[in-house]
């Protein structure tokens, strides 16, 4: 968002992140995370892992977890969560658009509330497809553009102020269409709501997409 923004609001945003999501997590987001991650397996790449809210929810049989997080304030918190975790977690400050990993080197990729903020979601999805093994899966929970045209219009109107307050979050993105247009094959999508969230970020999708064999 810019150096001054990142050093001030960005730092505050990271510091307040877990507290500001507490009610939403308790009202259902944590359970959605748990259900999504039940399908994770093998070597896992977590995109934009934030403060590490998913780390203790992976199934026991997941092997290594590689978490990327380009925001240094978030990454600092993520490293602390990773250090306290009994799992093997490594943290890398790379952005999803430029993954410093070999082709076909992950079994699962995970994104939770990330593609709203990634500056170039199409480039990030192409990178996810590159690093997933053939048949490997992207598991996602993302807040998205509303199907209801009235709410979508409000998302368009409020996109700019929300992006400023939300550390770069675009509340009006049609992430399902972006995944469908990517090299991944969309497998299943279910729609729901982010509980106890402002209406413009309530429309939610969860599902999976896989790398074509
Ligand atoms: C709303 S937070 C979600 C954090 C975490 N995934 C969760 O579920 O709580 C969005 C995250 O995406 C990260 N992000 C922003 N740009 C990114 C990029 N280019 N690549 C990967 N992650 C990015 C942000 O730093 C932030 O941690």
């Amino acid at each position: 968002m810019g150096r001054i923004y990142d050093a001030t609001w960005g730092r505050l945003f990271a510091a307040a992140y877990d507290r500001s999501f507490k009610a939403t997590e308790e009202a259902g987001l944590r359970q959605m995370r748990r259900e999504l991650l039940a399908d994770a397996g093998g070597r896992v790449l977590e995109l934009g892992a934030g403060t590490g809210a998913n780390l203790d929810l992976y199934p026991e049989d997941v092997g290594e977890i590689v978490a990327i997080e380009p925001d240094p304030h978030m990454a600092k918190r993520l490293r602390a969560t990773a250090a306290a975790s009994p799992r093997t977690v490594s943290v890398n400050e790379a952005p999803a658009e430029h993954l410093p990993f070999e082709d076909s080197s992950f079994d699962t990729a995970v994104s939770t509330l990330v593609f709203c903020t990634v500056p170039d979601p199409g480039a990030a999805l192409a990178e996810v497809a590159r690093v997933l093994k053939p048949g490997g899966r992207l598991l996602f929970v993302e807040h998205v553009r509303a199907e209801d045209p009235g709410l979508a219009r409000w998302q368009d109107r409020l996109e700019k102020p929300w992006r400023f307050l939300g550390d770069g979050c675009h509340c009006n993105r049609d992430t399902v269409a972006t995944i469908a247009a990517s090299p991944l094959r969309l497998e299943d999508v279910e729609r729901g709501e982010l509980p106890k969230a402002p209406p413009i970020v309530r429309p939610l999708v969860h599902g999976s997409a896989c790398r074509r064999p």
Side-chain angles (χ1 to χ4, degrees):
M1 293 281 289
R3 247 198 293 157
I4 295 174
Y5 179 97
D6 291 344
T8 53
W9 189 250
R11 180 190 289 265
L12 260 173
F13 186 86
Y17 187 83
D18 289 344
R19 250 172 299 144
S20 56
F21 268 79
K22 191 167 185 287
T24 297
E25 296 282 2
E26 288 173 0
L29 177 58
R30 194 164 166 78
Q31 183 57 24
M32 287 180 211
R33 294 180 187 276
R34 196 188 300 281
E35 284 169 16
L36 183 82
L37 298 173
D39 286 336
R43 186 169 187 241
V44 175
L45 171 64
E46 183 168 333
L47 306 167
T51 57
N54 290 329
L55 292 186
D56 65 336
L57 300 176
Y58 282 97
E60 294 281 312
D61 58 348
V62 155
E64 183 192 359
I65 301 165
V66 177
I68 62 149
E69 176 47 67
D71 178 321
H73 309 299
M74 286 288 197
K76 187 175 150 204
R77 287 160 202 283
L78 178 61
R79 281 200 191 89
T81 313
S85 164
R87 325 301 301 267
T88 309
V89 184
S90 58
V91 175
N92 190 306
E93 285 191 31
E97 295 93 332
H98 301 283
L99 295 173
F101 308 116
E102 286 181 13
D103 296 359
S104 307
S105 53
F106 291 93
D107 301 283
T108 308
V110 169
S111 78
T112 58
L113 313 178
V114 171
F115 282 104
C116 54
T117 305
V118 168
D120 187 343
L125 285 160
E127 277 290 85
V128 170
R130 179 182 67 76
V131 302
L132 278 176
K133 295 175 185 171
R137 298 168 85 205
L138 168 69
L139 309 176
F140 59 87
V141 170
E142 295 289 344
H143 73 80
V144 292
R145 186 174 188 80
E147 290 190 297
D148 168 52
L151 182 52
R153 269 196 299 279
W154 275 108
Q155 290 177 315
D156 292 338
R157 281 185 202 118
L158 296 175
E159 193 270 344
K160 222 173 178 176
W162 182 263
R163 180 154 39 99
F164 184 82
L165 289 175
D167 205 21
C169 169
H170 302 253
C171 59
N172 59 352
R173 280 189 174 164
D174 188 347
T175 296
V176 174
T178 311
I179 297 173
S182 81
L184 298 169
R185 192 182 66 223
L186 203 49
E187 287 181 323
D188 65 287
V189 184
E190 276 183 50
R191 290 190 181 262
E193 287 200 342
L194 195 58
K196 292 200 188 283
I200 57 169
V201 288
R202 229 177 263 164
L204 197 77
V205 292
H206 52 97
S208 64
C210 80
R211 169 158 172 207
R212 293 163 207 276

